[in-house]
Amino acid sequence: AKAATADDISEYSQVVTFAVGTTNVQKVSSAYATYDLNADKRVNLVDLSIELYWYKKPLTQDARQKYDFNNDNIVNLQDVSILLYYWTG
């Protein structure tokens, strides 16, 4: 690699070798898995849409465990904020 400014160009950097595999693997931290509501290994607009569906609605026990991140028995702005904190896009 080289770097350039308006007045100067550097020498080539030291050579570094590395291998790149033939498959792409997305790794999602286990912390993100809680907020990946549709299990696509991303926390994104789909997950936000799912969370907003439950916004201020009565929750079943299963829904409470999955969508009420701060355990206050309602999906509200705090839960949406928590999901957005783990956003991966």
Side-chain angles (χ1 to χ4, degrees):
K2 283 186 172 190
T5 64
D7 302 332
D8 197 19
I9 297 176
S10 72
E11 298 295 321
Y12 280 106
S13 65
Q14 178 182 355
V15 175
V16 178
T17 59
F18 58 93
V20 178
T22 58
T23 59
N24 290 330
V25 178
Q26 286 185 333
K27 183 176 179 183
V28 175
S29 165
S30 61
Y32 289 82
T34 301
Y35 310 99
D36 178 16
L37 302 177
N38 68 330
D40 66 350
K41 297 185 175 28
R42 307 288 295 169
V43 179
N44 56 20
L45 187 58
V46 176
D47 304 298
L48 179 61
S49 296
I50 294 168
E51 184 74 5
L52 291 177
Y53 171 82
W54 290 100
Y55 191 79
K56 294 191 177 181
K57 287 187 178 177
L59 300 172
T60 64
Q61 182 62 31
D62 289 340
R64 186 174 297 112
Q65 289 177 343
K66 191 165 184 177
Y67 308 113
D68 180 21
F69 302 134
N70 66 344
N71 298 314
D72 64 355
N73 297 317
I74 189 167
V75 174
N76 54 23
L77 187 58
Q78 288 85 2
D79 300 295
V80 172
S81 177
I82 293 167
L83 182 135
L84 293 175
Y85 177 82
Y86 289 97
W87 191 269
T88 63

